[in-house]
Amino acid sequence: MLEIDKCAYTNSLRKFNPMYKLMISFIALIVSIITNNINLHLIIMIIISIMIIFWAKVDIKLYIRCLKIPIYFLFIGTILNLISISFENTGFLLNIKIFGIYIGTTEFSIDNSIHILLRALSCIISIYFLILTTPFNQLIIILKKMYIPDVLIELMILTYRFIFLFLEEIKDIYKSQQLKFGYNNLKNSYNSTSLLIKVLFFRMMKKYEEMSVTLDIKLYDGKFHI
């Protein structure tokens, strides 16, 4: 089980009404998107983080790990957004000239980048509140109450199930290859990676066939009754 999924089933808010958790997350997300106020973004980030750590009692180390990956991408995007290119040396705070082109940063690009970064972080944290506090089966119940088509719910359930199958198979194959020194040098690493992809494809197809047989035995009619 993934740490995020395990957290959703063990946090202190797991039995709290999922519709309320969805409303909190949705309201915070919408406010983050439609407003351009830095202070409001900071307030949402702080309040939601406090709710996640102290109300839901989510492990702070797990919470930080969850934020690391999106933050890396956000900082890369922010750095690229800071760079402005122009044929005229006007409005730059810092710049360098390369082949007659000025490359640097302006006051507008700095201000704009800060707003984008904080808005994105506020939205991500708002979504994490729902992810880290709401078990998947509760999300399915919410979707059914919202009259989401059964075919979409079915796709979500199957995708959710196959994510775990996928990760489990990768973990088993990778561990087996490590025991056989499959990654002790660059050449072996390339060979092992290609073999991992090949074996993973065949194993996933086999898992799919097994699951199809299981569903047929249980007289699956296209609907998961929850």
Side-chain angles (χ1 to χ4, degrees):
M1 180 178 286
L2 293 174
E3 280 190 288
I4 293 178
D5 196 61
K6 183 179 179 181
C7 176
Y9 282 92
T10 58
N11 72 90
S12 298
L13 293 179
R14 64 188 181 278
K15 296 181 180 179
F16 190 67
N17 192 321
M19 191 60 73
Y20 293 152
K21 290 184 283 189
L22 177 65
M23 290 175 60
I24 292 171
S25 180
F26 183 75
I27 291 171
L29 179 63
I30 294 300
V31 172
S32 301
I33 292 173
I34 65 176
T35 59
N36 200 34
N37 189 310
I38 292 178
N39 293 328
L40 189 56
H41 292 155
L42 290 172
I43 290 172
I44 291 174
M45 291 164 59
I46 292 171
I47 291 176
I48 297 297
S49 295
I50 290 174
M51 292 171 68
I52 291 173
I53 296 171
F54 296 102
W55 191 20
K57 291 182 171 55
V58 173
D59 184 8
I60 188 170
K61 293 181 180 178
L62 171 62
Y63 181 53
I64 292 173
R65 286 200 301 273
C66 290
L67 291 176
K68 274 185 180 180
I69 295 176
I71 285 176
Y72 288 149
F73 286 102
L74 285 176
F75 274 116
I76 292 172
T78 301
I79 292 172
L80 293 175
N81 193 60
L82 285 171
I83 300 173
S84 299
I85 301 174
S86 177
F87 289 102
E88 298 179 0
N89 186 15
T90 55
F92 285 101
L93 297 178
L94 295 170
N95 69 81
I96 57 174
K97 185 178 181 180
I98 301 176
F99 301 115
I101 300 175
Y102 294 93
I103 302 174
T105 185
T106 64
E107 185 177 353
F108 173 78
S109 63
I110 293 174
D111 185 62
N112 187 48
S113 297
I114 292 173
H115 278 82
I116 292 174
L117 177 63
L118 293 179
R119 179 186 285 114
L121 280 174
S122 181
C123 291
I124 290 170
I125 290 174
S126 300
I127 294 172
Y128 267 131
F129 174 77
L130 183 66
I131 294 173
L132 293 172
T133 61
T134 311
F136 188 75
N137 61 337
Q138 291 184 6
L139 291 176
I140 299 301
I141 293 171
I142 292 174
L143 293 176
K144 283 183 173 292
K145 288 182 178 180
M146 295 172 66
Y147 298 103
I148 301 298
D150 290 333
V151 64
L152 294 180
I153 297 177
E154 177 189 353
L155 287 173
M156 285 185 60
I157 295 173
L158 293 175
T159 302
Y160 175 79
R161 173 57 181 159
F162 267 94
I163 286 174
F164 289 98
L165 290 175
F166 187 80
L167 294 175
E168 287 172 5
E169 292 297 335
I170 288 179
K171 183 179 179 181
D172 291 341
I173 298 169
Y174 182 75
K175 188 178 292 184
S176 176
Q177 290 177 327
Q178 275 190 319
L179 293 173
K180 297 177 181 179
F181 305 102
Y183 295 92
N184 61 343
N185 57 55
L186 186 61
K187 181 180 178 181
N188 286 345
S189 296
Y190 284 138
N191 292 332
S192 296
T193 301
S194 62
L195 183 61
L196 185 148
I197 295 171
K198 178 182 176 181
V199 174
L200 181 64
F201 174 78
F202 287 110
R203 285 198 181 184
M204 292 306 296
M205 292 302 295
K206 184 178 179 182
K207 290 287 186 181
Y208 169 75
E209 291 175 359
E210 290 175 351
M211 190 175 72
S212 297
V213 172
T214 302
L215 290 174
D216 289 338
I217 292 173
K218 295 181 179 181
L219 304 178
Y220 174 64
D221 60 353
K223 295 182 180 180
F224 290 97
H225 302 283
I226 299 178

